[in-house]
Amino acid sequence: MRLLVIGAGDVGSSIAASLSGSHEVVVVDTDRERVDALTYEYDVLPIHGDGTSLDVLEEADAAKADIVIASTDSDETNLAISGTIKTISDAFTIARVQKLAYLETWQRSHTAFGVDFMVCTDLLTAQSIVRLIGLPTAKDVDPFAGGRVQMAEFEVPTGGPLTSRTIQQADQYDGLTFAAIVRDDEAIIPSGEDVIEAGDRVVVIGNPETVRQFATAVTAEETVEASRDVVIVGGSSIGYQVARLLEERDIGPRLFESDPDRARTIAEQLPRTTVMEHDATDLDFLEREHVAEADIVVATLDSDEKTLLAALIAKRVGVERTVAVVDEAQYVDLFEAVGVDVAVNPREVTAEEITRFTRERRAENVAILESGTAEVMELEIGADSSLTGRPISEAVRDFPEGVVIGAITRGGEFVVPRGDTVVEENDHLVLFAREGVVDDVLDLL
Amino acid sequence: MSRHVYVDWRSALSLVGRVVKYLSVPLLIPLFLAVVYGDGILAFAVTIAVALLTGTLLESLYPDDVDIGAREGFLMVAMSWLAVSMVGAIPYVIAGFGTASTVAHPVNALFESMSGFTTTGATVMGDISVETHGEALMLYRQLTQWLGGMGIVVLAVAILPELSVGGAQLMDAEAPGPGIQKLTPRIRETARALWKAYLGITLLEIALLYGLYLTGFAPNMGLYNAVAHGLTTMPTGGFSPEARSIEAFSAIVQWVIIPFMIAAGTNFALFWHVLSGDPKRLFRDDEFQFYVGVLGVLAAAVTGVLFTHGESSIQLVELLSGDLEASARHAAFQVVSIVTTTGYASIDFNGFNEAGTFVIVAAMFIGGSAGSTGGGLKIIRWLVILKVIRRELFVTVHPEAVKPIRLNGKPVAENDIRGIFGFTLIYVVGFVLGTAIIVFDAQRVDLTLSVLEAASASAATLGNIGPGLGIVGPMNNYLPFPPTTKLVMVGLMWLGRLEILPVLVVLTRAYWTS
C-alpha cells in the first residue's frame, strides 16, 4: 500500500515508524529539517511543503495513494487537507483532530470535511484513561470483539503474589491466556516453565471478568474495585473529556483547575463534576479536600513538568494510583521510573488508532503495546482462511514464532482457546504478535 | 445648568399614544354590549373618543419612524400602563355619575382601572353586581384584566408592524420574570404565539364553564358569567362579577377553575412548546416542576388544617372539618388562587385558623411562573434563591468549589443571579414601605387597621394578587381606605405589574442624563 502522511510531528513520525517496514510511505511537512531527519531513521519518501496545496500534493503523487493521513498539529489544516485530497484522489482519508466538535460533526455525517476516518486525540486519550480507571493496577487496557475480550498489561511488583512463580503456577484462570512477558523492552512468548520476575510486565488476553480477577492476583490487595473516587488535576481538554466520560458512567469526579474562567466553563458543562478552582500543588488544600483518600488521581496540566509535580505530590500525600498525561513521548518511561503509575502519551494513542486503519482490510482492531514491541489484533476468519476447520495446535505450526492466539469469540460468545479448539468460519480471533511478524501473520490468514 | 437628555422621550411617548389610540378598538366590545343592553352607551362612546384624541395627539409628538432603544423601552412601557389605566378609568366615572356607585369617584375609578389592567383584582366597588352597574361596565371591568394579563405592550408588538424591531426591548421591560424567551426568529411571531395560546385557553375555559351550565352542573354559570370568569381566570385577575366570588358557584365549577388558574400561572412559552409537538418540555421544566410541587405541598398543608381543625369564627369553615373533598377543594382553590395571584376565593379565608392564615400569607410572596400572567416575586426567583442557598452551604465546606447554578440543566449567569437578589430585595423594601404608608395613613384618618391587615394589603397590591386579610379579605374590599392610600396602592400595582425596575429606572437621574 501507498501511504501519504502529512505532518511529521510525533504522530506522523510514529505512524511512519510502524508502517514504513511493510508499506510505501510518503511524508509531507512544512519543516524541511524534520522531514529530512525522518529519512535517515526510516525508509520513507520526504516531501517538503504545505499539505493543503495541490502542487505539493501532486508532487507527492497523492492521486496514487491508498491512504492519506492528515496528522499536523492543527485541526483545521487536517480538515483542509482531507477536503483537498478528495478533489484529486479517491484515497481513504484519515484526519487527526483535537476538538471534539469536529468529531461530533463527522459522526453525524461520515462524508463531512472529506474525512473517511476521524481520530480525536483528546477523546482517545481520555477513553484510554477511563479504561485504566475501570481496571486499577493495569498499565494498559484495550477492548476487543465489542468488549467481550480484553487485553491488559500489568506490571509485577516486588513481593507480589505472582513474583517468582512459573506461568503454569500463575495460570489458574479459565478464560485467560498469558500472551507475553515483556522484559527489558522485549516480548517473550512464555512457556509453562518460564518464571515471572518482579519488574516484568505480563500481557494477558481474556474475558473482562477473568482479567479483573487476575488484576487482583497481581497485587497483594484483597479486591480490586473499579475506582469510584477520582480526582482530575487540570481542566485541559483531556481532563474535561475524562470527567465527561466518567459522568457517563455515573461517576462524579472532582476536578481541580486553577484558572477561574476555565474552572467556571467546565463547571457549567459538567453538572456532576465537582470543580474546584485551586492549584493542586497546595498541600493544605489537598489535605482539606482529603485527596489522599481518592482511588486515583489523573494529572493533565499544560506542561509536563507541572503534570509530573502534581502526580508526584498526589502520590506523596498517599494516593494509591496516579495517571499522568505526558505530551513528550520520550518522557513516558521517565515518568513511570520516578513513581507515576501510568504515563499516557496522547500522540502514541493517536498513532496506534491510525495504524490500525492501515490494516483495516483484514484486522478489525489493533492495539500496540506501549513499548512498541508487539501488537494485539482482532481478525475475522473467512471461509478461505488456512485456519478454518483445523485445531489450534495444528494451525499454529504454520505461524511464525512469536504469535499467540489469545481469545476467540464465536457468535458473540467467549471461547477459551485450547490446543484442541477447532477454528470455525466467522470466528473472531484475538491474536498477540511480536513486532515484525504482524504482516506475515496477516498474509497467512 | 442644563444637561443633555439622552432619552428620546418623544418617540417613547409617541408609541404610548399609539397604544392609547388602539385601546379604542377593544372598547368597542363593551360599547356594543351597552347598545345591546341599552345602558352606558355614553360612558364608552366618550372614552373611545378620548382614547382616539389623546392617542393621536401623543402620537403626533414624533410622527416619523420611531427607533426604540432600551431606555425608550422602559419609558414607553411604564407610561403606557399609566396612560391606559387613566383613560380606562373614564367609563367608571361617567357610568357612575349621579348614582350611588363608589367607583364614580375619580380616585376610586383610577384604582379600579389600574387594578383591572394590572390584573390585581383588588376592588373598590361597593356593590359588586350586574344589577347596579350594568352588564356592559361589569364586562368592561373583566376585559381590562384580560387585556392586561398577557400584556398590552405584548399585544401591541403582536399587532403593530412598526414595533417589530424594538419589540424585544419592550416585551423584556413588560413581561413578568427575568428575561424573555424568544420562541421564533421574529419577536412579532413570538408575541402572536403567546397571545394565541392565551386566547385559546381562555375560549376553552369559557366553553367548559358554559358547558357545565348547559348540562345542569352549574346553575349560576350562565353565558355572561362563563365569559366573565374566562376573561378573569387566564390573566390571573380575579375580578368576578359575583360579590361572593367563586363561592357563588357549585363545587364542580370550583374544581374546573383550579387547573385553569394553574395554567395561567405557568410559563406560556411552555404551552407554545406543547402545541408545537414537544409536550415533554412542560414536565421537564425545572420551574414548572417546582411550581407544581409548591402548590401540592401548600394545598396538602391547608387541607390538613381545614380537615382537622373545625374551630373557626366562620360557620362554613367549621363545616369543612371531617369533609375531605370540601377541605381539599377549598384548600387547593385558595392556595392556587393566591400563589398564581388570581385572587378568586371559593371561601372566605379570613375564617381560617392561624396555621391556615399563615400559609395564605406566605403564599402571597411566591407568585406565578416567569412568562405567565401571574404576579408576585415569581417561582423562578425562589428556585434560584434556594439553589444559591444550597450552594453557599456547600462552598462553606469547600471554599474552592466552583458551582454554577443551573436551570433546566443550563447554567445561570452570575449577573442574572445578582439581578434576582437585587430584585427580591427591592421587592421586599417596596412591600415594607407600602405597609408603612398604609399603616400611617390609616392612623391619620382613624381607620382601624391591624399591621397584618396593612401588610396583606401591601403584599396583595404589589404582588397583583387582590384580596388580603381582614378588612381587605376576599369578600370585602379596598373602599374604606382614604384616597391618599388608594393612590399609593395604585402606584404599588403599577410597580408590581412591571416588576418595579422599568418604573423605578425612569425615576433616576442617571436614566435621563448619562
Side-chain angles (χ1 to χ4, degrees), chain A residues 192-217:
Chain A
E193 287 75 44
D194 280 326
V195 178
I196 301 169
E197 293 171 12
D200 281 355
R201 288 185 173 195
V202 292
V203 180
V204 296
I205 297 169
N207 66 17
E209 185 44 40
T210 321
V211 171
R212 185 172 296 282
Q213 285 170 20
F214 180 74
T216 319

Short mmCIF file of all heavy atoms in Angstrom, two decimals, chain A residues 192-217:
data_model
loop_
_atom_site.label_atom_id
_atom_site.label_comp_id
_atom_site.label_asym_id
_atom_site.label_seq_id
_atom_site.Cartn_x
_atom_site.Cartn_y
_atom_site.Cartn_z
N GLY A 192 5.13 -22.80 29.83
CA GLY A 192 4.69 -23.08 31.20
C GLY A 192 5.77 -22.96 32.26
O GLY A 192 5.50 -22.66 33.42
N GLU A 193 7.03 -23.16 31.85
CA GLU A 193 8.10 -23.19 32.85
C GLU A 193 8.73 -21.82 33.09
O GLU A 193 9.52 -21.66 34.01
CB GLU A 193 9.21 -24.18 32.43
CG GLU A 193 8.84 -25.65 32.57
CD GLU A 193 7.88 -26.08 31.47
OE1 GLU A 193 8.11 -25.71 30.30
OE2 GLU A 193 6.88 -26.76 31.79
N ASP A 194 8.40 -20.84 32.24
CA ASP A 194 9.01 -19.52 32.42
C ASP A 194 8.60 -18.92 33.76
O ASP A 194 7.46 -19.03 34.21
CB ASP A 194 8.59 -18.58 31.29
CG ASP A 194 9.41 -18.83 30.03
OD1 ASP A 194 10.59 -19.18 30.18
OD2 ASP A 194 8.85 -18.70 28.92
N VAL A 195 9.57 -18.27 34.41
CA VAL A 195 9.33 -17.70 35.74
C VAL A 195 9.07 -16.20 35.62
O VAL A 195 9.76 -15.49 34.88
CB VAL A 195 10.54 -17.96 36.67
CG1 VAL A 195 10.30 -17.33 38.04
CG2 VAL A 195 10.79 -19.45 36.79
N ILE A 196 8.05 -15.76 36.34
CA ILE A 196 7.72 -14.33 36.34
C ILE A 196 8.60 -13.62 37.36
O ILE A 196 8.69 -14.05 38.52
CB ILE A 196 6.23 -14.12 36.69
CG1 ILE A 196 5.34 -14.86 35.68
CG2 ILE A 196 5.88 -12.65 36.75
CD1 ILE A 196 3.89 -14.93 36.08
N GLU A 197 9.25 -12.55 36.94
CA GLU A 197 10.12 -11.81 37.85
C GLU A 197 9.50 -10.46 38.19
O GLU A 197 8.71 -9.92 37.42
CB GLU A 197 11.49 -11.59 37.19
CG GLU A 197 12.27 -12.87 36.99
CD GLU A 197 13.52 -12.64 36.15
OE1 GLU A 197 13.88 -11.47 35.94
OE2 GLU A 197 14.11 -13.64 35.70
N ALA A 198 9.92 -9.93 39.33
CA ALA A 198 9.47 -8.60 39.70
C ALA A 198 9.96 -7.60 38.65
O ALA A 198 11.10 -7.71 38.18
CB ALA A 198 10.01 -8.22 41.08
N GLY A 199 9.12 -6.66 38.27
CA GLY A 199 9.51 -5.69 37.25
C GLY A 199 9.08 -6.09 35.86
O GLY A 199 9.08 -5.27 34.95
N ASP A 200 8.72 -7.35 35.68
CA ASP A 200 8.19 -7.79 34.39
C ASP A 200 6.83 -7.16 34.15
O ASP A 200 6.13 -6.78 35.08
CB ASP A 200 7.97 -9.32 34.40
CG ASP A 200 9.27 -10.08 34.19
OD1 ASP A 200 10.31 -9.42 33.95
OD2 ASP A 200 9.25 -11.32 34.30
N ARG A 201 6.51 -7.12 32.85
CA ARG A 201 5.13 -6.77 32.53
C ARG A 201 4.50 -7.99 31.89
O ARG A 201 5.08 -8.59 30.99
CB ARG A 201 5.09 -5.61 31.56
CG ARG A 201 5.50 -4.32 32.23
CD ARG A 201 5.33 -3.16 31.31
NE ARG A 201 5.58 -1.92 32.02
CZ ARG A 201 5.23 -0.73 31.56
NH1 ARG A 201 4.64 -0.64 30.39
NH2 ARG A 201 5.47 0.34 32.25
N VAL A 202 3.34 -8.37 32.38
CA VAL A 202 2.67 -9.50 31.78
C VAL A 202 1.49 -9.01 30.96
O VAL A 202 0.77 -8.10 31.37
CB VAL A 202 2.21 -10.55 32.83
CG1 VAL A 202 3.40 -11.22 33.47
CG2 VAL A 202 1.33 -9.91 33.87
N VAL A 203 1.33 -9.61 29.78
CA VAL A 203 0.22 -9.26 28.91
C VAL A 203 -0.74 -10.42 28.91
O VAL A 203 -0.35 -11.54 28.59
CB VAL A 203 0.71 -8.97 27.47
CG1 VAL A 203 -0.46 -8.60 26.58
CG2 VAL A 203 1.76 -7.87 27.48
N VAL A 204 -1.97 -10.16 29.30
CA VAL A 204 -2.96 -11.24 29.31
C VAL A 204 -4.12 -10.87 28.40
O VAL A 204 -4.43 -9.70 28.20
CB VAL A 204 -3.49 -11.54 30.74
CG1 VAL A 204 -2.38 -12.04 31.63
CG2 VAL A 204 -4.16 -10.31 31.34
N ILE A 205 -4.74 -11.90 27.83
CA ILE A 205 -5.91 -11.69 26.99
C ILE A 205 -6.99 -12.62 27.52
O ILE A 205 -6.74 -13.80 27.76
CB ILE A 205 -5.60 -12.02 25.50
CG1 ILE A 205 -4.52 -11.07 24.98
CG2 ILE A 205 -6.86 -11.92 24.65
CD1 ILE A 205 -3.95 -11.46 23.64
N GLY A 206 -8.19 -12.07 27.74
CA GLY A 206 -9.25 -12.93 28.27
C GLY A 206 -10.56 -12.20 28.34
O GLY A 206 -10.67 -11.07 27.87
N ASN A 207 -11.55 -12.83 28.95
CA ASN A 207 -12.81 -12.11 29.12
C ASN A 207 -12.67 -11.12 30.28
O ASN A 207 -11.87 -11.34 31.19
CB ASN A 207 -14.00 -13.06 29.24
CG ASN A 207 -13.96 -13.90 30.49
OD1 ASN A 207 -13.23 -13.59 31.42
ND2 ASN A 207 -14.71 -14.98 30.50
N PRO A 208 -13.40 -10.02 30.24
CA PRO A 208 -13.17 -8.94 31.20
C PRO A 208 -13.26 -9.40 32.66
O PRO A 208 -12.48 -8.93 33.50
CB PRO A 208 -14.29 -7.94 30.88
CG PRO A 208 -14.64 -8.19 29.46
CD PRO A 208 -14.43 -9.66 29.25
N GLU A 209 -14.15 -10.33 32.95
CA GLU A 209 -14.32 -10.77 34.33
C GLU A 209 -13.05 -11.45 34.83
O GLU A 209 -12.56 -11.18 35.93
CB GLU A 209 -15.54 -11.72 34.41
CG GLU A 209 -15.90 -12.16 35.80
CD GLU A 209 -15.89 -11.01 36.80
OE1 GLU A 209 -16.33 -9.88 36.48
OE2 GLU A 209 -15.38 -11.24 37.93
N THR A 210 -12.50 -12.33 34.00
CA THR A 210 -11.29 -13.04 34.41
C THR A 210 -10.09 -12.09 34.50
O THR A 210 -9.27 -12.20 35.39
CB THR A 210 -10.96 -14.17 33.40
OG1 THR A 210 -12.18 -14.77 33.00
CG2 THR A 210 -10.06 -15.20 34.01
N VAL A 211 -10.04 -11.15 33.55
CA VAL A 211 -8.95 -10.18 33.60
C VAL A 211 -9.01 -9.40 34.90
O VAL A 211 -8.00 -9.13 35.55
CB VAL A 211 -9.01 -9.24 32.37
CG1 VAL A 211 -8.02 -8.08 32.52
CG2 VAL A 211 -8.73 -10.01 31.09
N ARG A 212 -10.25 -9.09 35.33
CA ARG A 212 -10.43 -8.38 36.59
C ARG A 212 -9.93 -9.22 37.77
O ARG A 212 -9.25 -8.73 38.67
CB ARG A 212 -11.90 -8.01 36.76
CG ARG A 212 -12.20 -7.17 37.97
CD ARG A 212 -13.64 -6.69 37.95
NE ARG A 212 -13.88 -5.80 36.83
CZ ARG A 212 -13.51 -4.53 36.80
NH1 ARG A 212 -12.90 -4.00 37.86
NH2 ARG A 212 -13.73 -3.77 35.75
N GLN A 213 -10.27 -10.52 37.73
CA GLN A 213 -9.80 -11.42 38.81
C GLN A 213 -8.27 -11.48 38.81
O GLN A 213 -7.65 -11.45 39.87
CB GLN A 213 -10.35 -12.84 38.59
CG GLN A 213 -11.81 -12.98 38.95
CD GLN A 213 -12.35 -14.33 38.50
OE1 GLN A 213 -11.61 -15.28 38.26
NE2 GLN A 213 -13.67 -14.41 38.39
N PHE A 214 -7.72 -11.53 37.62
CA PHE A 214 -6.26 -11.60 37.54
C PHE A 214 -5.63 -10.33 38.10
O PHE A 214 -4.60 -10.39 38.76
CB PHE A 214 -5.83 -11.83 36.08
CG PHE A 214 -4.35 -11.91 35.91
CD1 PHE A 214 -3.65 -13.06 36.32
CD2 PHE A 214 -3.62 -10.86 35.38
CE1 PHE A 214 -2.28 -13.14 36.18
CE2 PHE A 214 -2.25 -10.94 35.25
CZ PHE A 214 -1.57 -12.09 35.65
N ALA A 215 -6.29 -9.18 37.83
CA ALA A 215 -5.78 -7.90 38.34
C ALA A 215 -5.61 -7.95 39.85
O ALA A 215 -4.67 -7.40 40.42
CB ALA A 215 -6.72 -6.77 37.94
N THR A 216 -6.52 -8.66 40.51
CA THR A 216 -6.44 -8.81 41.95
C THR A 216 -5.21 -9.62 42.34
O THR A 216 -4.56 -9.34 43.35
CB THR A 216 -7.70 -9.52 42.48
OG1 THR A 216 -8.82 -9.01 41.78
CG2 THR A 216 -7.88 -9.30 43.96
N ALA A 217 -4.91 -10.65 41.53
CA ALA A 217 -3.80 -11.53 41.87
C ALA A 217 -2.45 -10.85 41.68
O ALA A 217 -1.47 -11.24 42.31
CB ALA A 217 -3.87 -12.79 41.00
#
